[in-house]
Amino acid sequence: MQVTGYFLINRKDNFENSFKRVAKLWLEVWFYSVITFIIGIIYLRDISLKELVISIFPIIFNKYWFVTAYVMLMLLVPFINKVVDSLNKKEYLILLICVTIFAGVFPIIGNRIFGQETGFSILLAVYLFGGYIRKHGLKIKVSSIYIYVSIIVIYMGMLSSLVILGKLTSFSGHFDRFMYGIFPLIESVLIFLLVIELKPFTNKGINTIASSVFSTYLVTQNHSMVTIIWERIFNVSKLENIFLIILTGFGIAVFLLLLTVLIDKVRIFLFRKLKFEESVLKLVDKIIKNN
């Protein structure tokens, strides 16, 4: 999301372009939502009218929280950018601090008026961070080794909180509260600052995978697919050796990444052949022109 903010914050976009961008995203999400629903019926023998409706309208009914929040943000980007463009550096910084506290700190202590741990508010904060770095820069005047150490320390702290709070609460309630909000936000900013300092490069293989990696999220974060993947296909619950668990988990992750990327390439081919995306964008154009 920081990358999105970094590259979109200076774009003088209009609502029509944002709507088209969302329409393309919706088509991809809808495809995987319906396909995974069908797979769920086949493997789990579980047919639910509620789940059918959610699968047909995945964004409206929040089947994927990130996608729903992302769509909201993309539709508002033209207006957010106009507001941000009118701010000087100090005003932007104050806005950034306020949104970060409201979205990243308040939910941790149980105050969810501005937003949940996962939702639009935290994506807005991340977007604004990326935009701030692009517009005004953000230099940390310490050796990069300290940044790497900070990233590791924050990550280990988050994992430790998961174990400690899990045991204290018997893994109920918001025992994972520190896995969201301010701490992963700080970590992502530090990683982003390291990345933008690297020498630019391009790699065809990486670009090919990166263009379809969103499909991995849509498949593996679907609750029916979670059951199928981790209980029916890869049942790792019986593994006890920690090193074997890590090695197996890594191998499964790589396999799922490559498989879903391959599936997505087939989807892209079919969409082009059947002109799905083209038809949807034409419909969007008609809707925009008629209004």
Side-chain angles (χ1 to χ4, degrees):
M1 202 67 240
Q2 269 179 101
V3 176
T4 303
Y6 187 82
F7 286 107
L8 287 188
I9 198 68
N10 288 326
R11 184 178 292 186
K12 308 297 181 183
D13 237 345
N14 54 37
F15 182 77
E16 288 77 10
N17 289 336
S18 290
F19 195 71
K20 288 180 182 178
R21 196 179 298 122
V22 165
K24 291 173 67 175
L25 175 68
W26 172 84
L27 190 60
E28 181 179 355
V29 174
W30 178 83
F31 173 83
Y32 283 106
S33 181
V34 172
I35 290 298
T36 52
F37 175 74
I38 295 172
I39 293 173
I41 292 175
I42 295 172
Y43 276 86
L44 303 177
R45 307 292 182 182
D46 184 22
I47 301 176
S48 165
L49 179 59
K50 179 182 177 181
E51 187 60 32
L52 172 61
V53 174
I54 293 174
S55 297
I56 295 174
F57 304 102
I59 294 175
I60 294 175
F61 291 105
N62 196 26
K63 185 166 187 175
Y64 305 95
W65 77 263
F66 178 83
V67 177
T68 301
Y70 183 81
V71 166
M72 291 177 179
L73 185 62
M74 286 300 99
L75 291 175
L76 294 175
V77 156
F79 312 106
I80 294 171
N81 287 359
K82 285 183 179 181
V83 171
V84 166
D85 204 41
S86 68
L87 304 177
N88 58 39
K89 183 178 180 179
K90 182 180 178 181
E91 291 170 334
Y92 194 162
L93 184 59
I94 292 172
L95 172 66
L96 185 58
I97 292 172
C98 288
V99 172
T100 300
I101 292 173
F102 297 158
V105 179
F106 279 16
I108 293 176
I109 60 176
N111 186 336
R112 299 179 179 85
I113 296 299
F114 190 77
Q116 301 287 327
E117 290 91 338
T118 55
F120 172 79
S121 60
I122 194 64
L123 257 63
L124 175 61
V126 177
Y127 179 85
L128 290 175
F129 254 108
Y132 185 88
I133 293 170
R134 181 61 179 267
K135 277 185 170 294
H136 304 293
L138 186 61
K139 293 288 184 180
I140 300 180
K141 298 178 181 179
V142 296
S143 172
S144 60
I145 188 66
Y146 292 109
I147 299 179
Y148 283 111
V149 171
S150 298
I151 291 170
I152 294 172
V153 169
I154 292 172
Y155 184 69
M156 294 306 296
M158 289 163 56
L159 289 181
S160 299
S161 74
L162 195 64
V163 175
I164 294 170
L165 289 178
K167 288 184 176 180
L168 291 174
T169 62
S170 299
F171 295 96
S172 62
H174 294 279
F175 72 92
D176 59 346
R177 65 181 62 201
F178 291 108
M179 300 300 290
Y180 304 98
I182 188 66
F183 296 109
L185 175 57
I186 292 172
E187 190 170 33
S188 68
V189 170
L190 293 176
I191 293 172
F192 188 69
L193 290 174
L194 289 173
V195 171
I196 61 176
E197 291 298 323
L198 297 176
K199 184 179 179 181
F201 75 97
T202 183
N203 182 284
K204 188 176 180 180
I206 293 176
N207 291 341
T208 299
I209 293 175
S211 63
S212 290
V213 77
F214 184 52
S215 65
T216 307
Y217 166 79
L218 294 176
V219 172
T220 59
Q221 291 302 303
N222 180 283
H223 75 270
S224 295
M225 294 305 297
V226 168
T227 302
I228 293 170
I229 292 171
W230 299 110
E231 293 183 14
R232 298 294 180 89
I233 300 176
F234 302 108
N235 191 343
V236 296
S237 60
K238 295 181 180 180
L239 296 178
E240 295 182 358
N241 187 297
I242 185 64
F243 296 106
L244 186 59
I245 292 173
I246 294 172
L247 186 62
T248 304
F250 180 77
I252 293 172
V254 172
F255 172 76
L256 291 174
L257 172 65
L258 296 177
L259 178 63
T260 51
V261 166
L262 179 62
I263 292 171
D264 196 57
K265 297 307 176 186
V266 175
R267 176 196 67 81
I268 293 171
F269 173 78
L270 291 174
F271 274 26
R272 286 175 180 170
K273 277 289 184 181
L274 300 174
K275 297 182 178 180
F276 276 164
E277 192 172 292
E278 183 181 330
S279 300
V280 169
L281 291 179
K282 284 182 178 179
L283 178 61
V284 169
D285 274 329
K286 285 183 180 180
I287 293 172
I288 292 172
K289 287 177 181 179
N290 291 334
N291 291 278

